[in-house]
Each structure stands twice: as C-alpha cells, then as structure tokens.
Amino acid sequence: MRAPETVKLMFQTPEILFNNEFVMTLKKTLVACLAALSGSLVHASPTFVFTAIPDQDETRLKERFAKVSAYLETQLKTDVRFVPVKSYAAAITAFRNNQVQLAWFGGLSGVKARQLVPGAQAIAQGVEDPNFKSYFIAHNSTGLTDNADATSTTLPADIQGKTFTFGSKGSTSGRLMPEFYLRQQFNQAPDETFSRVGFSGNHSRTIALVETGAYQLGAVNYKVWDSSVAAGTVDTSKVKVIGETPAYPDYQWTVRGDLDSQFGEGFTAKVKQALLDMKDPDLLNSFPRKGFIPATNADFKPILEVGKQVGLID
Amino acid sequence: MNSSQQPGLISQSPRLRISLYFLLVAATCLLIADISVTSINPMLEMQRFFAAWLKPDTDIIGIAAEALLITAAFALLGVALAAIGGLLIATQFQHRWLRMLCAGLRSVHEIFWALIFLQCFGLHPLTGLLAIALPYSGVFAKVYAEILEDVSPGPSRVIATNNSRITNLCYSQIAQAWPHLVSYTRYRFECGIRSSAILGFIGLPTLGYYLEASFSQGYYSEVASLLLLFFVLIATIRIWCHKRLMPIWLLSSPWLILSDYFNPAGQANIQWQNIERFFTSDIIPAPLRHAASFWEYDSFIALFQWCEKILTGQILPGLWNTLILTQIALVATGILALLLFPLASKLFVNNTGRSGGKLLLIIARSTPEYLLAYMLLQLWGPSMLPAIVALALHNGALIAHLLAKRSEHMPLRKDTPSGVNRYGYEVLPRLYNPFMAILFYRWEVIMRETAILGILGIHTLGFFVDSAIQEIRFDVALLLIISAALLNILVDYLAGRLRKKLRLQQMSSC
C-alpha cells in the first residue's frame, strides 16, 4: 500500500522533503489533490451556474446552452457554467439547493421552484411564452389524421380507448396542460380515457414514439413540433397534428432571490438585462424564440391554479 | 451434493412440488400481466439497432473512455468503502439490530438511494459514492459474516486467551477466510461497475448518462460503441484490477470523481441546510408538515387520510405489479438458466461452442437489467414484456454461468449417456439442488430490480416513486421506498425459510 507512506512523508521535516526532487513532485501532487478535494467541499470563487429542464434531445440542449453560457459569460463578466440534468425534478432540486442560481424552467417547474425557494423571481420569458400551446399528435394508422382540424381545441371522441403518451411527468406543455384539457373534455382522468398512458420523458421522444406507433397519440410542445417539422426530423406521412390546447403561459428564466447577496448588488438586474438583450438570431433560434421579454411571478398564476386542480401541486 | 437426500422420487417431491407451485403462480400471473408489443414496427427498429453494431461510432470513443474511467472509479471507491464498512459490521453481526440495519440497507436499490441523496447533495460525487456504498455494505456485512462463521475455530483456540478479540479476529478468522473474502469482494466489484454505470441514468457522469442520451435519440451506433467498451471493461477486470494496480486505482479514483474535468456536474458544494431541510421538512408527511400543531386530532385524521390515499392509489397497485412481474421473471429466469447452461459446459459442447456460449453468457450477464429493459422498451413499446425478458436474460445468464461451472466439476461415470439423455437423467437432477438455492438467492435481487424498472414506465413501485419525486413529494417517495424495502425483506425472509425447508445448501456468492 502506498497511502501510509505518503502520509508519513507529510509529517517529516521539511529539510528531508526538499532533499529529494521526487518527493517534491509527490508533495505537489498531493497538495493539488487536497486542493481539488477542498475546492469541492469548501466554497471557492463563485461561478454563476445555470441549468434547464431537459425537455428535448440532449444534443440540442447542449448546443443551445453552450451558446447561452458563452453569451452570459461575456455579458456578466464572470465564470458561467451550464449544468445538464436528467429530469425536470433534478432541475428544480438543483435550483432549490442553490447548486444553480438561474434556470430555464417550464411553466409548472418554474411555479414549483419558486414555491420552494422564497424570493425567487421569474425575470424573462420568450416572446411566444405568454401564449404557448400544446399539439395533440396521432399516428396515421389511427385514422384520426385524415380529416383532422389541427387548430381545433376539441378532440375527436374516437381518441378514447387508444394509447397515449405525455412528455415528462413534470412538463407543462407535455403533461399538465394537455391533461387539464383532456380532463375537461372527457370528465375523467387520462388513464380512464385511454387504454394506456405513458410518459415518454421529453418532447422529442414523444414525437419519435408516436411516429413509430409505440403510442397512437401524444401531446407535444408546439415549438418542438414546429421546429422538428422544419428541420425535417419528423416523418409527417406517419404522424400529424390532430388538435391543440388553448393558450397558456409557459417557459421562463427564473433566478434565486439571494442572487445579489451571492454575486454582488445589482447582479439580478444585470442577468435580466443580459437575457432581454439577447438578439443574436442564431442564439434565439436554438430555443427557438423570437426574443425575450420581461416576466413576473404573477404571469404564471394560471399554471399554479391548473397545477392544483390536476393535483400536481399541493 | 446434499448428503441428507434419500433416493427415490418421494423425497424429491418437496422440491418438485415447490417448483411446480412457482410455475403455476407464474403462469397465473402471466394471464393477468400486461404483455404486448405495442410498437407498430418493432422489427424495423430492431434491425436498425443490430445493424448499428456492425459499424459502431468511433467518434464517441473518447467520451466513452472517460465515462468508463469515472464509472470504474465510482464503483471502486463505493465497493471499497462498503467492503471496509461491511467487514467492520460483520465482526459485530451477533447484534440483532445490526443485522436488521443491514437488511434495511440492502433492501433499498442503489438508484433509490441515489434519488434520496440527490436531494441532499445534488450531483456531488458523494451521491454516487453513498448510493453504491450503503446497499453494498449491507450485502458485504451479511456475506462476510457468513464466511467468517464458516472458518475453523481451531486457530483461535490456539491463540493465547489473553489476546484481545481484535487480535483473534485478525490472526485467526480473517486470516483463514481471506481468500473467500477477496474472491467475494472481487465478484461484487463487477456488480459495482454495473450499478455505477446505471447511476448515470439519473445524472451522474457515468456510462449510463451517455447511453441514455444516445439511446433516446436513436443514435444506435453510439450505443453500440459505448456498450462494446463496457463489455470489454467487464471482461478484462482480472487484468486491470490486478492487486498490484489496486493502490494506484484507489489513490486516483477520488481525484477522478472530484475533478472538474471528468465530473463537471458534480462541482456544486454540499450545503448543510439542504441536508437538514431534507430530513426535517421534506420527508415529513405533508399533513403533519402543514399542520399548525403536531398533536392535534385533526392532523392525525389528515395523516390517516393521506396514508390511505397513497396506500390505495400507489402502494397497493405498485406492490401488486411488482409481485406479478417478479414471479414471472423469476420463473423465466429459472427456465432460461436451465436451457442456457449446457452452452457453456464442457459436458455438452466442444471447446469452440463453449467459447461462444461463454461469450453469450458474459454479454447477457454484464448488461444490467435496467439497461436491457430500457433498450427493449424503446424497441417494443411499453408493457411488462421488455422487463420480463430483460430480467430473465440477465439473471438467467448469471445463473447459467454458475451452473455451467458447477457441472464441469461433476464426476461422471464412464458409461454416461450423452446429449439430451445426459442432460435430463444425469446432470439436471444433480444440479437441481444448487439451481434452486441460487434461484432463491436471486429472488430478492429480481424483486429489487423489478421495483426499479418502474422508473422506465412499467407500473411497479418504481413508477410511483419516480412520479412522487417528479412532483417534489419526497414524503410520498420515502413511504413508497420503505414499502418496497419491506417487500424485499419479506421475500428475503421467505426465500431463507424455503431454502431451510428444502435443505438447500448455502450459496452466498451469487
């Protein structure tokens, strides 16, 4: 075993240590290791960390937030890091635990996060976000796609008894709002309306699962659908939109309330301004949003109400 | 073999009866289980998947190598911590409360542990480390205690009586049991690598992280590269895990899992208030947390209603599905193991065939169930079928491997028949005892995995745990995890009773 020897070395007199070059290197490595260790245990220089709900394919998220990270770094003149997470809940938890200070949340995840972190504020949202909507999509074999009116907010009664997939369990456009309107139209829980209800995990998966027919129907974020169609990654001869939900507020940037005390007075305002100033079309297209506008916590009150009604928020 | 066994069919019958009983239960479960292939074109997706294996993606090899390094580092540290902890507990295993504590530790799956620690520490490496170390130390304690019990009492009598208990332990019991302890720890290290890989699915930077990303986007050639490298890692454990290399691995592992480069997501600091909040607020049942006073009549009514709602809406359906799936998977595992083991036994196939059979078994048993189930779900659509096949493949291959090894040590008569007759009249009857013993050991493991597979969308307990966590209701999640743990302890106990009743030998290393 090497460990006891190195420990012994640490307690030897400095003269002996300095005699040997090898020991010096060893000592340096040890110090570096200890520094790495303590760096992660003790608070180092503050890095501004942000995350986002994993609502889409990982490749797309990485590409998008690498750009955002670089942009924020130049604007805020501080170290900025993006931390990818595997679930909506993990994004909320990281925000709540102050492991990230800024997050790109959906409507529901944002409301939940702000409930859990007193003082947290929604600061910016996409131009499209106050009037967001979800699409209901169906596989062609269901026969529902033939005469479908894609803009109708009432779904055909034939969808009952089919299989259906939501996106993530914690998604606003992939779960909460579609479930709310399904409950309203059919007066029962989705698992009574459909023969099988699943949760694909994210919007890209929902499209893929309905396209392969693993599920006959699905609910998807309209932005993700539109950009997938535009990018040609979805085969519209197999899967089509058969209806949509009424409009509701969705995505937003949320910051912790203690941001100023962590990063200095006025930092929150700086972050907000940086987000609102995002004008690079390349950056905006990666979301995709036309631009960002100010948001307040009150903008998302309807989501809170619906969340309570559906039973996803206490 | 079992010396207490009398010749004749009647003495065999309890084992046969129990086997038939299990078969019958599984058949009944099969009737009520939700089994179907729902994807419209499963073959097309399978073709795409298998075609990708012919041209694995080479661009991802760099990422994969890093991921595997981290995976091994987490496994090594977790297992090392667990081995030390387990050994310490094993020496005190006469205490009932310690035995119960260990039963509790090992009855909760690594992923559930990780989900709990994720709330306290975030993606900090400690989450992954503890998620492996805690359940593994529970297992180590039990198995080490069994091994230490088996050593000869002779040397400890020879050691002078005025020596301390520690001296006695080190120079007599542990010294004698050392080879067994080491070989078992080695075996668990392989399991540790699988566990560590799986933790990536919930966000740690291990292999599962990249597998999930590649698979969910349908990048099958990336999946193929990642998995191929994973198989190589597992198959070459004996080489890179040589005892001379161990100090280097052990010293570099902490650095690897803490480093900014290899583990960028784990850089956030641990904050005491998050841990405190988790234990003093998050896991307190909601009615009590929101109640004005703890001891009011009303809050108890509310608590009762809360429990009832979770019991009827989540725990009971979850338990039911977990049980159904477990029983089917257990029997499927058994059948598959009996069918597969001849492929890797020299009693049935020649050397070339045996290498092929062994390779097949290595691949099937080194792919974690969770991963297999995840892949099959993507290909076949959601139902219990992918889970059953995944559990049966992984566990069946594992048991088949053990049976094949055992069969090769079996002395055969000169005029022994060959082929099917040898299998049916000679080998199978003699292997059936150890087979049942191993299967009963795996019963609890299969159940623990079944519960976890719920996270993938099958409505076992894990599904409801995942839902509760996604809804940030940790009180509900904890209640569900505890019920899963209790079910596990119950099955473990039942399996122990059955082993005793059927007088099956102990077989801890499976």
Side-chain angles (χ1 to χ4, degrees):
Chain A
M1 285 293 286
R2 296 282 184 276
E5 289 171 25
T6 37
V7 172
K8 247 186 269 165
L9 282 174
M10 287 179 66
F11 293 106
Q12 275 169 4
T13 51
E15 293 84 32
I16 299 172
L17 278 177
F18 286 117
N19 279 343
N20 191 329
E21 211 173 314
F22 169 72
V23 177
M24 272 291 284
T25 359
L26 200 70
K27 195 186 156 204
K28 268 186 196 155
T29 333
L30 205 73
V31 169
C33 282
L34 282 176
L37 240 162
S38 58
S40 70
L41 297 175
V42 185
H43 199 75
S45 74
T47 304
F48 185 57
V49 190
F50 75 106
T51 191
I53 48 170
D55 61 338
Q56 251 180 299
D57 276 352
E58 187 137 332
T59 321
R60 307 215 56 179
L61 294 183
K62 264 193 190 149
E63 181 195 350
R64 176 195 300 169
F65 290 107
K67 286 180 198 164
V68 176
S69 184
Y71 170 78
L72 287 179
E73 206 149 59
T74 53
Q75 294 287 310
L76 301 175
K77 299 187 179 57
T78 174
D79 284 342
V80 176
R81 183 184 9 231
F82 172 68
V83 178
V85 289
K86 282 281 182 197
S87 73
Y88 285 46
I92 299 176
T93 303
F95 184 78
R96 181 190 193 194
N97 286 357
N98 196 17
Q99 283 148 348
V100 303
Q101 290 82 43
L102 168 75
W104 173 242
F105 281 130
L108 179 62
S109 41
V111 165
K112 269 199 190 145
R114 290 190 295 273
Q115 255 188 350
L116 294 168
V117 182
Q121 324 165 25
I123 51 171
Q125 58 188 333
V127 172
E128 297 89 336
D129 284 304
N131 289 302
F132 216 78
K133 61 187 177 185
S134 309
Y135 286 148
F136 290 98
I137 55 174
H139 191 270
N140 275 14
S141 66
T142 56
L144 294 166
T145 50
D146 299 337
N147 302 309
D149 172 14
T151 56
S152 161
T153 53
T154 318
L155 292 163
D158 291 353
I159 67 167
Q160 292 180 83
K162 302 256 187 309
T163 61
F164 184 91
T165 185
F166 288 114
S168 163
K169 285 173 183 166
S171 168
T172 312
S173 53
R175 200 256 172 108
L176 178 70
M177 297 317 288
E179 172 162 351
F180 177 69
Y181 287 111
L182 282 168
R183 278 173 185 268
Q184 242 184 12
Q185 186 178 342
F186 296 101
N187 265 323
Q188 55 191 3
D191 41 353
E192 290 162 40
T193 308
F194 300 107
S195 61
R196 187 196 291 280
V197 172
F199 295 94
S200 70
N202 65 45
H203 301 296
S204 317
R205 290 291 306 153
T206 303
I207 299 174
L209 287 177
V210 179
E211 190 180 322
T212 61
Y215 284 97
Q216 293 172 304
L217 293 146
V220 64
N221 174 319
Y222 89 104
K223 276 280 178 195
V224 175
W225 171 268
D226 285 348
S227 55
S228 302
V229 170
T233 54
V234 48
D235 184 352
T236 44
S237 70
K238 288 190 181 140
V239 53
K240 282 196 182 75
V241 178
I242 59 159
E244 62 181 34
T245 64
Y248 54 84
D250 203 346
Y251 290 76
Q252 87 293 144
W253 290 102
T254 295
V255 288
R256 286 180 61 92
D258 53 10
L259 205 55
D260 285 4
S261 67
Q262 286 188 64
F263 291 87
E265 209 49 52
F267 194 76
T268 311
K270 249 168 84 181
V271 173
K272 182 172 179 172
Q273 203 50 51
L275 292 170
L276 298 179
D277 287 347
M278 224 187 260
K279 297 283 185 264
D280 179 7
D282 186 37
L283 206 58
L284 293 172
N285 278 338
S286 69
F287 274 90
R289 295 290 185 277
K290 287 201 182 76
F292 288 101
I293 54 173
T296 62
N297 291 2
D299 294 342
F300 302 91
K301 199 130 193 298
I303 297 291
L304 179 66
E305 297 305 320
V306 170
K308 280 183 178 162
Q309 275 187 46
V310 174
L312 292 177
I313 296 180
D314 286 323
Chain B
M1 282 287 98
N2 200 332
S3 59
S4 64
Q5 192 180 321
Q6 303 284 315
L9 195 65
I10 294 171
S11 68
Q12 292 275 359
S13 66
R15 276 157 216 156
L16 265 178
R17 214 170 45 227
I18 297 276
S19 307
L20 282 176
Y21 177 66
F22 268 85
L23 205 62
L24 215 65
V25 170
T28 320
C29 290
L30 212 51
L31 289 178
I32 35 180
D34 162 32
I35 285 173
S36 57
V37 174
T38 49
S39 56
I40 288 178
N41 211 338
M43 287 322 286
L44 190 77
E45 203 68 9
M46 301 261 283
Q47 260 172 21
R48 272 192 57 212
F49 180 66
F50 287 110
W53 286 79
L54 299 176
K55 42 176 176 46
D57 188 310
T58 45
D59 293 343
I60 202 172
I61 285 179
I63 294 176
E66 284 174 25
L68 286 177
L69 206 58
I70 286 280
T71 306
F74 267 112
L76 192 68
L77 283 181
V79 172
L81 276 180
I84 296 167
L87 191 61
L88 288 178
I89 302 175
T91 60
Q92 305 296 322
F93 222 52
Q94 69 276 16
H95 300 296
R96 195 188 162 81
W97 66 271
L98 263 179
R99 287 202 301 274
M100 283 168 66
L101 176 77
C102 288
L105 284 178
R106 62 174 184 268
S107 67
V108 177
H109 194 279
E110 299 93 85
I111 291 191
F112 283 156
W113 279 119
L115 285 172
I116 292 174
F117 293 127
L118 208 57
Q119 312 310 324
C120 303
F121 311 130
L123 286 171
H124 194 276
L126 202 57
T127 299
L129 212 54
L130 286 179
I132 297 175
L134 282 187
Y136 276 58
S137 56
V139 178
F140 275 135
K142 180 185 166 209
V143 175
Y144 284 173
E146 275 169 17
I147 295 176
L148 290 179
E149 217 169 72
D150 276 351
V151 300
S152 149
S156 79
R157 287 202 202 107
V158 173
I159 295 176
T161 42
N162 57 358
N163 272 319
S164 68
R165 208 178 113 73
I166 304 238
T167 317
N168 197 335
L169 204 70
C170 293
Y171 288 93
S172 145
Q173 287 177 293
I174 294 180
Q176 282 187 77
W178 189 249
H180 297 285
L181 294 176
V182 169
S183 94
Y184 183 72
T185 313
R186 247 173 207 288
Y187 162 74
R188 287 304 294 183
F189 177 52
E190 189 186 319
C191 305
I193 292 183
R194 283 199 293 268
S195 302
S196 165
I198 287 304
L199 290 179
F201 276 80
I202 57 165
L204 287 154
T206 60
L207 186 78
Y209 185 94
Y210 301 95
L211 266 176
E212 200 263 351
S214 300
F215 217 113
S216 64
Q217 298 176 74
Y219 298 161
Y220 294 143
S221 47
E222 285 184 13
V223 175
S225 307
L226 289 167
L227 280 179
L228 280 173
L229 283 172
F230 182 64
F231 294 145
V232 171
L233 182 82
I234 297 233
T236 56
I237 280 187
R238 285 196 172 278
I239 301 167
W240 60 263
C241 198
H242 193 272
K243 79 177 172 231
R244 293 224 181 105
L245 291 173
M246 275 322 248
I248 301 176
W249 290 129
L250 278 172
L251 278 179
S252 54
S253 293
W255 176 77
L256 284 174
I257 66 171
L258 282 171
S259 82
D260 187 25
Y261 175 72
F262 289 107
N263 185 11
Q267 295 309 307
N269 309 308
I270 292 176
Q271 290 168 15
W272 177 246
Q273 72 247 38
N274 295 334
I275 303 167
E276 192 189 340
R277 188 200 56 217
F278 181 74
F279 286 104
T280 57
S281 161
D282 285 0
I283 59 171
I284 308 293
L288 293 185
R289 201 186 326 144
H290 300 312
S293 158
F294 224 71
W295 301 108
E296 294 257 320
Y297 176 71
D298 283 351
S299 30
F300 274 95
I301 291 291
L303 180 67
F304 181 75
Q305 285 167 340
W306 180 82
C307 287
E308 195 194 359
K309 206 175 127 206
I310 296 167
L311 187 73
T312 54
Q314 304 183 34
I315 296 181
L316 290 179
L319 282 179
W320 178 243
N321 286 326
T322 308
L323 273 173
I324 287 182
L325 186 51
T326 305
Q327 290 318 108
I328 301 175
L330 182 73
V331 170
T333 297
I335 295 173
L336 201 68
L338 291 180
L339 290 177
L340 283 181
F341 87 83
L343 295 181
S345 166
K346 68 173 177 221
L347 301 186
F348 298 98
V349 285
N350 60 17
N351 271 338
T352 341
R354 203 156 53 106
S355 330
K358 279 196 164 159
L359 185 70
L360 187 82
L361 293 188
I362 284 181
I363 290 177
R365 77 166 201 272
S366 50
T367 319
E369 299 99 320
Y370 191 81
L371 198 62
L372 269 174
Y374 179 81
M375 295 195 277
L376 294 173
L377 268 169
Q378 311 289 321
L379 301 175
W380 297 344
S383 82
M384 280 191 184
L385 185 66
I388 295 169
V389 174
L391 287 163
L393 267 178
H394 173 81
N395 293 294
L398 201 130
I399 297 177
H401 162 75
L402 293 172
L403 289 180
K405 265 212 297 208
R406 220 156 232 273
S407 74
E408 291 182 350
H409 295 306
M410 205 184 267
L412 291 180
R413 284 174 13 178
K414 285 232 168 73
D415 60 344
T416 181
S418 62
V420 181
N421 281 344
R422 180 187 283 184
Y423 179 82
Y425 291 104
E426 182 87 38
V427 178
L428 187 58
R430 289 165 73 181
L431 270 184
Y432 204 72
N433 257 345
F435 162 72
M436 275 189 88
I438 302 171
L439 199 59
F440 281 143
Y441 268 106
R442 288 309 284 186
W443 193 5
E444 174 232 3
V445 180
I446 290 176
M447 170 156 286
R448 207 167 35 201
E449 284 295 332
T450 304
I452 274 297
L453 293 183
I455 294 180
L456 299 174
I458 308 147
H459 287 218
T460 60
L461 279 164
F463 175 82
F464 297 101
V465 173
D466 180 54
S467 299
I469 284 179
Q470 294 299 324
E471 291 162 19
I472 319 282
R473 287 174 175 150
F474 303 121
D475 46 351
V476 179
L478 195 73
L479 196 66
L480 286 161
I481 291 177
I482 291 173
S483 15
L486 288 177
L487 186 67
N488 253 311
I489 293 175
L490 186 75
V491 163
D492 199 19
Y493 172 77
L494 210 65
R497 286 294 296 270
L498 276 172
R499 274 198 306 272
K500 225 169 251 168
K501 191 178 163 218
L502 299 176
R503 278 172 291 173
L504 301 171
Q505 62 215 111
Q506 293 294 310
M507 198 150 325
S508 43
S509 59
C510 42

